[in-house]
Amino acid sequence: MRQMWRDAENFCEFVRTIPANGDVDKLYDFYGDREKLPKCFSAEDQVKNLFIAAMTWVYFHEIGHLMQEHGYIRARYGSGNAQGANEVHDCESNAENQLTGTAAVVSHVTELAADFEATNFYLMELIRHIINPDFVAEEKKGEISCGLVYLMLCGLSIVFFRFNGSMPLVPSAVPQGSHPNPMIRLEINIPHVFEILDIKGIRELTGHGLDRKQLVLLCGKAVFTATLYWSMTKTAEKKFDNRFMVRGLLTNPVVLEYLVPIVKCWDEILPEIKKIRRFGSPLGLLTFTDEFRERITKKEIWGEGPESRKS
């Protein structure tokens, strides 16, 4: 928790010190403006809200594991033994004693499922606060909504990078270890955010007034800012790497290959999860559309497999 607070402080300080009209500053023109932190909050509240968003999301992530009985699921489908399965560890992010094979796939899938539950929980709670007149004045709802979503995505990005530990930041075609790559986790959760916010009723409740394109840009700018901070302050090179740019899951051949066993595994365990899931909205269940499934199974998109990428 202390480290997450320091991350919030350091992130906001880093963003505020980006030189005006420099090369980095000009990158923000793509998003329509160069504002890197929401002006509706003071400097102190920017740090506090980012920290609270990150901590709240982590809390909801752990609830997601519990409500879907992921300890049981991992034991049953990952090791074939469901006896005594009651623990899920979210801090095992190191390069030693990595999970491989089926165990890694099941672990990655359940992490992504908990991510999805957490993001849905967070947005529902955010909306509940926004519509409370004691919390936000009616005329400020839209601005506050956008500011909180922005800081939530900044915080979520930093959480993924922090929990990734010493593992590589570049995605792999094969699930390895206990947790998915942070960029893949972001690529799945960002659309979940703007899909919910794009619902007509949600737009009216929160008053954000953003169309689909504007929502995508808002979310993209938040994640870009977080990846900019992390790559320029936490990596060995201390410079921005465009491999950290969010481009969409279906544009990277390596990620497409990675997703094939992920989707297959989720389809296998989903009926069991639906039976034992303790509570929650259907919006909290990890979902892959038919179009998404069709795309990842068309290996001709990137060739016949790993060998084709060596040339």
Side-chain angles (χ1 to χ4, degrees):
M1 184 179 297
R2 181 179 299 174
Q3 184 59 66
M4 292 176 69
W5 174 262
R6 296 301 176 207
D7 282 337
E9 286 184 320
N10 294 337
F11 167 80
C12 290
E13 179 62 23
F14 168 83
V15 169
R16 295 186 193 110
T17 57
I18 292 176
N21 297 315
D23 291 341
V24 173
D25 190 46
K26 291 176 181 177
L27 292 173
Y28 282 85
D29 289 341
F30 173 79
Y31 300 102
D33 62 67
R34 298 184 184 182
E35 297 299 330
K36 303 165 190 68
L37 289 170
K39 286 186 172 181
C40 53
F41 303 120
S42 66
E44 180 181 5
D45 285 342
Q46 288 166 352
V47 174
K48 287 182 178 179
N49 281 316
L50 195 155
F51 170 73
I52 291 171
M55 285 300 300
T56 301
W57 187 93
V58 170
Y59 174 73
F60 286 148
H61 175 89
E62 299 308 324
I63 290 180
H65 279 311
L66 292 171
M67 64 190 290
Q68 293 188 16
E69 295 283 5
H70 286 164
Y72 167 81
I73 292 293
R74 288 180 180 183
R76 176 174 180 180
Y77 293 91
S79 66
N81 178 15
Q83 294 182 352
N86 57 8
E87 293 185 1
V88 172
H89 300 280
D90 272 311
C91 296
E92 185 205 350
S93 295
N94 59 65
E96 299 178 2
N97 302 319
Q98 281 192 9
L99 295 176
T100 58
T102 301
V105 173
V106 174
S107 186
H108 282 220
V109 169
T110 49
E111 287 298 332
L112 293 171
D115 287 352
F116 213 77
E117 288 276 22
T119 298
N120 187 68
F121 269 133
Y122 184 91
L123 290 173
M124 293 304 104
E125 282 302 297
L126 183 148
I127 292 165
R128 185 173 68 85
H129 280 79
I130 289 295
I131 63 177
N132 182 349
D134 294 331
F135 181 72
V136 180
E138 182 68 28
E139 65 274 13
K140 290 284 188 178
K141 283 200 313 185
E143 185 180 13
I144 297 295
S145 296
C146 293
L148 290 176
V149 168
Y150 184 88
L151 290 176
M152 174 260 191
L153 284 170
C154 290
L156 178 58
S157 303
I158 295 170
V159 164
F160 285 158
F161 291 132
R162 174 61 64 187
F163 282 10
N164 192 57
S166 61
M167 297 290 285
L169 284 169
V170 178
S172 167
V174 179
Q176 294 178 321
S178 60
H179 288 63
N181 177 275
M183 297 308 300
I184 290 176
R185 297 175 82 171
L186 285 170
E187 294 275 18
I188 288 177
N189 279 276
I190 295 169
H192 192 196
V193 172
F194 62 68
E195 289 282 355
I196 289 179
L197 294 176
D198 196 36
I199 297 173
K200 181 180 178 181
I202 300 299
R203 182 182 288 106
E204 292 173 350
L205 284 172
T206 59
H208 67 69
L210 302 182
D211 61 24
R212 181 59 164 252
K213 180 179 179 180
Q214 290 170 323
L215 285 170
V216 172
L217 289 174
L218 175 73
C219 296
K221 184 168 72 167
V223 175
F224 169 73
T225 304
T227 55
L228 184 72
Y229 158 73
W230 196 264
S231 61
M232 294 185 71
T233 63
K234 305 298 182 183
T235 62
E237 295 79 10
K238 296 291 191 297
K239 64 179 182 180
F240 182 66
D241 187 331
N242 63 12
R243 289 177 297 178
F244 299 159
M245 293 285 288
V246 172
R247 295 184 172 88
L249 281 172
L250 303 182
T251 63
N252 187 333
V254 172
V255 176
L256 288 171
E257 189 168 343
Y258 165 89
L259 287 169
V260 172
I262 295 295
V263 174
K264 182 179 179 181
C265 179
W266 180 243
D267 287 345
E268 181 183 357
I269 68 176
L270 182 57
E272 184 75 11
I273 284 179
K274 284 183 175 179
K275 286 195 297 184
I276 62 178
R277 186 172 181 243
R278 296 182 179 275
F279 59 90
S281 162
L283 291 175
L285 283 172
L286 181 61
T287 303
F288 300 106
T289 65
D290 291 340
E291 293 79 8
F292 184 95
R293 294 168 180 277
E294 182 181 359
R295 183 74 182 276
I296 67 171
T297 55
K298 286 185 176 180
K299 292 184 173 59
E300 64 269 21
I301 293 174
W302 66 84
E304 294 301 321
E307 292 300 319
S308 68
R309 295 197 299 274
K310 294 181 180 179
S311 59

